[in-house]
Amino acid sequence: MNKELLGILVIFGSTVLLAVPLGRYLATVYRGDKSWSDFLGPLERLLYRLGGVRPEREMSWQQHLVALLTINLVWFVWAMFVLCTQGSLPLNPDHNPSMTPDQAFNTAVSFLVNCNLQHYSGESGATYFSQVFCLMFLQFVTAATGLAACVVVFNALRDRTTEKLGNFYVYFTRSITRVLLPLSLVVALVVAFQGTPMTWLGKAPLVTMQGDSTFVSRGPAAAMIGIKQIGTNGGGFFGVNSAHPLENPTYLTNAVENGAIVLVPIAMALAFGYYLGRPRLGWMVFGVMTAGYLLLQVPTVYLEMHGNPAITHLGVDQRLGSLEGKEMRLGAPASALWAITTTVTSNGSVNAMHDSLTPLSGMDALLGMMTNAFYGGVGVGFLNFFVFIIVSVFISGLMVGRTPEFLGKKIEAREMKIAIVIALLHPLLILAGTALAAHLYVGNPTAYAGWLANPGYHGFSEMLYEFTSSAANNGSGFEGLGDNTPWWNISTGVVMILSRYLPIIGPVAIAGLLARKKYIPESAGTLRTDTGTFGIMVFFVIWIIAALAFFPALALGPLAEHFTLYAK
Amino acid sequence: MRQPDGTMVAMSSAQLQKGQVFVVEAGELIPTDGEIIEGLATIDESAITGESAPVIREAGGDKSSVTGGTQVLSDRIVVQVTTAPGESFLDKMIALVEGASRQKTPNEIALTILLAGFTLVFVIVCVTLQPFAEYAHTPIAISAFIALFVCLIPTTIGGLLSAIGIAGMDRALRANVITKSGKAVETAGDIDVLLLDKTGTITIGNRKATHFWPAPGVPLLEFVEKATISSLTDETPEGKSIVELARDNQVSPQALQSRLDGAELIKFTAETRSSGVTLASGTRIRKGAADAIRRLAEAAGQPYHADVADRVKAVASNGGTPLVVSENDRVLGVVELQDIIKPGIQERFERLRKMGIKTVMVTGDNPLTAKFIAEKAGVDDFIAEAKPEDKMQYIRAEQQAGKLVAMMGDGTNDAPALAQADVGVAMNSGTQAAKEAGNMVDLDNDPTKLIEVVEIGKQLLMTRGTLTTFSIANDVAKYFAIVPALFMVAIPALGALNVMGLKSPQSAILSAVIFNALIIPALVPLALKGVAYQAVGASALLRRNLLIYGLGGVIVPFIGIKVIDLIVGVFL
């Protein structure tokens, strides 16, 4: 068998194998049951005392959201302050300047919402202080925010009637101390031992093999890479992310970093089942997510391994696959694996340039973000999936002539309205944003010529990708887009805020409303949700909504490019 | 109306004021509520109570009040009006009926939200397509935009909704149920709670004797004989059932008939709470309530065995009614009367449970008896010692918990509850008020008809749900017809998306629009026939409908549009 294919199978397979025990562990931690990590209890209690948090105080869903939004606002102010003044702050050995306000806004928002869209390059656009104390700090706390919101939903779906859904700060703190810190420490250690720098020193002088002398950027990178991957953040230390040899030095680091992207999202899907004591349900969610993931992953690997016909026409040997924009040391299949893994989750780190993917692979990456529920971001991936479950339960209810219910709670008009609004928000933000950008560009192509490196279908894909990536809180870039302008900074910033908080507020509200309802034990008439039939239903609902919303846009971008390219 | 000076004036019943006096004669309707001040009459009160036997009302005493809307059958009475206009019993009932507003069904709201959601998606898609097309230098004609939008929005299901509703009413009619609106049928399909009267629905009419329990030292045969003799002339259903049971115990009632010669019959009265015969020989045989016979026995110095007392208790706690029989004040034994649960009713309740419906038994029995029968019949809950207000309260409580409630009833005192219930089925034999209040009338007077109505409702809901799915699934094919057609001229490569191989952009758009128009009438027969409901469990049902209407909905338009294109292509 092809060694490269074997490599990616091992990466994905071992990730799933690790996710199963992790899922059990997450359920234990969030239920508050005994676990090996209880030795961290005193530390957590100290943090609660310092923060004035009473861990035994249970919150309603509204109080959870207030707590979540308040601490997020505080972080935003901190991030704006650091990014706008970083040039004068300490730990800036390379003397990088402060950010302009619109870029600081975009960056602050982007890291605050766990998106990590980067309209700057880490080497020249940020200082060590802002990388560590602003950006990496946000990578931990925003991932924990997503996990905590997800646990609120888990808690609300237990079989009882209640207003009390646990303490937000407890979920949040435990996410950091017991999940994110240990896991990212492991990843950081692996990459550090493989050669990623972890230093406060400035650029290192280097004489190249040709005898030129140059400088190589470095810094406290290894620490950030761990949480970048584990927390589905994706914002790299260096501008080209994990395609940079210091950020992703070897095949081993590539495997670890790639696995780290989906580890927690997969574990969270399984944790859902373990938490509720219905493991089958967790496996149903995992099954649907995996089916959706493979549907995108398999063709992408195939296409990237078979090269680009335009280059074949030039008489170039493409037996190693389409290598434009890829790292030779990683190869086409591993790059394809990463491209889809990073887009289905809301990670957004890259180890190859997505701009250079073949058109249909680019479309698969786009679809990963358009569906945004196959694994998804830490915590928030499940929240998106939960919205689709609600919609599916609802349509199924119509199909079997019965008021729909999920886990013993009736789904009624109010929950459905919220779910539909959240499901609609995603296509609305993507399509409206892209339409505005397209309209501006068409209105004055010369003024906005700097936007698009490739006008035509590919340019359209670039704009579509930028908004899709923002709306999916993914943060990967198609690049090739001149995106550090006020228009892109502000428009994508607004899209990121809306598409982060509304899809958290919506599912938490639905779950909170459901938690208040009377628990109706399952009867023979109940539509079971932990079955293959229901899984297929959810699968189709996700795809039909994505297809109906995005087919015309995809036809004008990647599909037009693909058929034009392959028609030759 | 009789004026204070004694002269008579004819006037409209609506003008009668409190305190005025009117005269009603045989055959006339009593205009409003009042009190008889002169005379006596038999009155048909079936309009209010549902009881067809006439009642006697007379001046003075506690039987002097008459109700507006009831009919005087004989004699002539003078009545003083006791209520102001608009406050009579009937007015209050009407107000209750009108005041009880019906909820919109969850399913109806569901569908609205879903269709609105999908329509919004298509609005977004069509509006944003304009700048996209501008960017791609492929201006789209306004007519093409309209074609795309019309094809995408869920018009199919919109056009079929009324047909599905009417078909539901029609199916109900064929089951001999008249419905007042399609919505009532639909609601029936979504019912969570079903209120059923015990008598006639769950049990067969009356109690029946099921067992003879002789007292210690009394031979069974003797006891049975004496019990039979006491019941031979008893015309009550209980008495008849004792004779019947005796026959099953090898005692011939005919043979015993002769013993009654010259006997004196003792009727049941509320004071003695017993009945029986005193034979020509002077032997007194009595049967009646346990405590009544016990008093007789103790007064005569006869022993009342502990065994008998235990038996009485045992029968009562089993949901039965104990009758004690004595001969010359000597206790002979206990006859057990039991409610007979209709054969097959458990299975019906089981089926309802499978549909997810909670059944509630309504009965005037004491809670102990009610509980026993409820358990035996397999209903989920019961209301014992039920008064009309209790039903109303129960229904309200369930509705507040978000449930939809159905009930059947026939009396006017059921009317407010029938109106409050989301589905109220009135018996055709019931009162006018009940029929007004309910939203369905069952012509067969069959209390189990509700089960059929529920199935018809489910069928209606499913038909709508599956056709909605079908309609939305259709859009996939329409995209493949229209999107390439829109851009094929400017971007020839997109011709590859024309998987159906449609002849030209014009014929493609035309075919999609024609298909869109034709699919509505084509689906009307299905909408009318309805999607079959089977109680096979929700998952199996979903699997089947998903396969037929979901997958079918994706495939059918591909074929349909291609066929239409072949035909249209000839003319273009």
Side-chain angles (χ1 to χ4, degrees), chain A residues 343-363:
Chain A
T343 44
V344 289
T345 61
S346 72
N347 185 287
S349 63
V350 293
N351 72 351
M353 292 300 107
H354 289 189
D355 207 18
S356 302
L357 293 174
T358 58
L360 286 189
S361 299
M363 184 172 86

Side-chain angles (χ1 to χ4, degrees), chain B residues 200-284:
Chain B
T201 309
I202 295 167
T203 59
I204 296 171
N206 300 294
R207 283 148 206 269
K208 277 192 172 173
T210 55
H211 219 289
F212 292 113
W213 305 101
V218 180
L220 176 68
L221 194 69
E222 184 197 344
F223 171 51
V224 175
E225 274 184 16
K226 298 287 153 58
T228 314
I229 291 168
S230 74
S231 305
L232 276 172
T233 53
D234 187 350
E235 285 302 309
T236 62
E238 286 86 355
K240 283 183 185 166
S241 76
I242 292 177
V243 176
E244 235 167 79
L245 186 68
R247 206 174 277 133
D248 295 343
N249 276 279
Q250 274 80 45
V251 171
S252 161
Q254 281 81 11
L256 295 171
Q257 193 72 42
S258 57
R259 309 260 295 262
L260 279 175
D261 292 339
E264 185 198 349
L265 308 179
I266 313 292
K267 288 255 183 208
F268 178 90
T269 68
E271 290 92 78
T272 61
R273 297 182 57 218
S274 63
S275 63
V277 287
T278 305
L279 299 182
S281 58
T283 310
R284 284 163 288 130

Side-chain angles (χ1 to χ4, degrees), chain A residues 270-416:
Chain A
L270 296 174
F272 173 56
Y274 294 128
Y275 184 94
L276 295 178
R278 300 166 183 258
R280 269 179 64 109
L281 199 60
W283 285 104
M284 184 281 285
V285 176
F286 169 78
V288 175
M289 287 178 163
T290 305
Y293 168 72
L294 291 177
L295 192 66
L296 297 169
Q297 184 69 76
V298 172
T300 304
V301 169
Y302 175 85
L303 285 162
E304 293 309 309
M305 286 177 73
H306 283 78
N308 182 332
I311 295 178
T312 312
H313 278 291
L314 298 174
V316 176
D317 177 11
Q318 292 215 76
R319 265 176 300 173
L320 288 176
S322 170
L323 285 177
E324 184 200 312
K326 293 191 179 63
E327 289 288 291
M328 194 63 197
R329 63 211 165 86
L330 303 175
S335 302
L337 179 74
W338 188 302
I340 297 304
T341 314
T342 194
T343 44
V344 289
T345 61
S346 72
N347 185 287
S349 63
V350 293
N351 72 351
M353 292 300 107
H354 289 189
D355 207 18
S356 302
L357 293 174
T358 58
L360 286 189
S361 299
M363 184 172 86
D364 289 340
L366 275 167
L367 279 170
M369 298 185 283
M370 285 164 171
T371 48
N372 206 16
F374 299 131
Y375 303 141
V378 286
V380 289
F382 178 80
L383 294 184
N384 287 332
F385 195 86
F386 175 64
V387 168
F388 286 116
I389 289 183
I390 298 292
V391 176
S392 308
V393 163
F394 211 65
I395 298 180
S396 309
L398 280 174
M399 297 242 286
V400 297
R402 199 181 141 72
T403 303
E405 58 194 63
F406 180 56
L407 299 180
K409 303 294 177 78
K410 293 235 150 152
I411 310 282
E412 284 163 303
R414 213 156 146 214
E415 294 81 48
M416 188 56 191

Side-chain angles (χ1 to χ4, degrees), chain A residues 398-399 403 424 456 525 533 548, chain B residues 107 121 135 190 354 479 543:
Chain A
L398 280 174
M399 297 242 286
T403 303
L424 275 180
T533 307
L548 294 181
Chain B
N107 242 292
V121 169
Y135 175 88
D190 222 0
K354 265 199 186 133
Y479 261 142
R543 193 156 47 233

Side-chain angles (χ1 to χ4, degrees), chain B residues 46 60 95 132 193 243 274 331 357 363 372 386 409 421 467 479 548 560:
Chain B
S46 65
F132 292 175
V193 182
V243 176
S274 63
V331 176
I357 295 169
T363 170
F372 180 80
L467 287 184
Y479 261 142
I548 300 176

